Amino acid sequence: MAPTIHVIRHAHAWHQAKPDTSIPDPELTELGIQQCYALAADIAKVGKIALIFSSPMKRAIQTALAAFPAYTQSRSKIVLLPALQEIGTNESDIGSSCADLVRQFGSANLDYSFVEAAWTNKGPGTPYDPQFATAQARAMRIFIRAVAQRYRATDAHIVVISHALFIGHLTRGDYMAYDNAEWRSFRFEQIVGGNGDASLYELPCSVTRTLAAHNREARRRSFVITTTSTQLVSVKREEKPNTCSLGDVHEVYCPMYGVEIPVASRTRLSLSLAPGSSLLGVQGGATGAEVPVDFMPLPDK
């Protein structure tokens, strides 16, 4: 047995909805609140949570409170750790003072012991200067491992709630970005001793869950492009005048041959059709309805 570390990205917040990175310490949107309820139902399957660490940024605190009501109802407190805050110096990347947080959230469910007065200072040379993110993440892993050692003879579950960019440094995984309110499960390679990096590895069940969730989301946002092309259609990610913004394109369908061409999911694509062919339509998205498109084929050479 060994403790499991569940790393969660905060739910959808207002700086993403606008989008506007000038919003100071943005809170969750209604969509974000709904995501927390879904997260609560999903993660409940792991059993009782022993400990929750969270970034002190409002969107992370709100995610923790909304997704883990049973934890706080048991009189356990969510421990706020400034090192888990988002990387960056935009207004949306900077948190609020401890006094402001206490005024808004109170102290019954939150432990502010680690939230020092200077935690919002990200100036050059300060501990939270973005250039030190890798070192902060390593220190955070070492800290969490030290805490997890108390549970090393158990199958305890520890939750860590943070932000997209910092999670990349914390888990040292950039193969697939976290969606809002997404959770993945890790264990330390060695809970006692081990290397100085306190390396984590993702559990196989988590990898499977992550891939399934991302495939479902890609399919939900997918589009099918239908053309009269008698040749394969070239689909590339480019920024050119003849680029159409469709959302994620899942496949291209050539009805003359019944060919379905899988393509990588990208948000901006240029389509090069064979000479003489034309675009018949685009369908897809969450509803499967036809999507209007501003499309100009490449000129014949």
Side-chain angles (χ1 to χ4, degrees):
M1 292 187 293
T4 301
I5 314 300
H6 303 288
V7 180
I8 302 173
R9 183 189 177 194
H10 66 82
H12 189 259
W14 279 110
H15 68 301
Q16 299 172 291
K18 298 293 184 181
D20 183 357
T21 58
S22 69
I23 300 174
D25 200 6
E27 300 186 29
L28 297 186
T29 62
E30 181 57 35
L31 170 61
I33 297 297
Q34 295 304 315
Q35 289 174 336
C36 290
Y37 296 153
L39 169 63
D42 195 27
I43 203 170
K45 66 185 72 168
V46 307
K48 185 178 179 180
I49 302 299
L51 189 61
I52 298 178
F53 294 121
S54 174
S55 155
M57 302 191 78
K58 290 180 180 179
R59 55 191 182 271
I61 293 174
Q62 290 175 318
T63 299
L65 293 172
F68 298 96
Y71 179 85
T72 53
Q73 289 166 8
S74 70
R75 298 188 177 181
S76 297
K77 290 192 176 186
I78 296 161
V79 180
L80 304 181
L81 299 177
L84 293 174
Q85 68 180 290
E86 183 57 297
I87 302 167
T89 55
N90 293 316
E91 290 295 320
S92 60
D93 299 325
I94 298 174
S96 304
S97 70
C98 188
D100 286 343
L101 296 176
V102 172
R103 275 193 292 270
Q104 179 167 348
F105 298 107
S107 56
N109 299 320
L110 301 174
D111 182 344
Y112 298 91
S113 301
F114 295 93
V115 185
E116 69 272 29
W119 85 276
T120 59
N121 184 358
K122 295 186 174 183
T126 62
Y128 303 112
D129 181 341
Q131 69 173 319
F132 300 139
T134 299
Q136 279 283 11
R138 177 179 175 273
M140 194 77 267
R141 286 194 304 274
I142 292 172
F143 173 83
I144 295 170
R145 184 176 66 178
V147 174
Q149 285 173 357
R150 294 187 299 172
Y151 303 93
R152 63 181 178 272
T154 74
D155 58 355
H157 298 276
I158 297 173
V159 167
V160 177
I161 301 174
S162 188
H163 306 262
L165 294 180
F166 188 77
I167 286 174
H169 288 268
L170 183 68
T171 63
R172 297 192 298 184
D174 57 358
Y175 62 95
M176 192 178 292
Y178 274 64
D179 286 333
N180 288 117
E182 182 177 341
W183 61 292
R184 300 181 194 174
S185 306
F186 300 82
R187 283 184 180 152
F188 287 100
E189 290 183 358
Q190 289 183 273
I191 191 67
V192 177
N195 61 44
D197 273 346
S199 300
L200 291 162
Y201 69 93
E202 188 172 1
L203 299 181
C205 61
S206 176
V207 173
T208 300
R209 182 177 68 238
T210 298
L211 291 174
H214 280 258
N215 286 338
R216 284 195 301 271
E217 183 64 12
R219 178 68 67 170
R220 188 183 72 81
R221 296 177 179 176
S222 70
F223 294 86
V224 175
I225 300 174
T226 306
T227 82
T228 59
S229 177
T230 58
Q231 301 176 25
L232 297 186
V233 179
S234 171
V235 183
K236 300 177 181 177
R237 186 185 186 188
E238 296 179 356
E239 297 292 337
K240 292 184 177 180
N242 54 334
T243 294
C244 53
S245 183
L246 300 175
D248 289 345
V249 175
H250 176 70
E251 64 188 26
V252 175
Y253 180 59
C254 302
M256 184 171 292
Y257 289 103
V259 176
E260 294 183 0
I261 309 165
V263 297
S265 295
R266 295 289 186 269
T267 55
R268 294 189 64 80
L269 302 155
S270 66
L271 283 69
S272 304
L273 303 185
S277 61
S278 61
L279 185 72
L280 295 182
V282 179
Q283 290 186 311
T287 63
E290 185 170 348
V291 180
V293 117
D294 180 12
F295 175 78
M296 180 180 296
L298 291 173
D300 295 343
K301 292 183 178 179

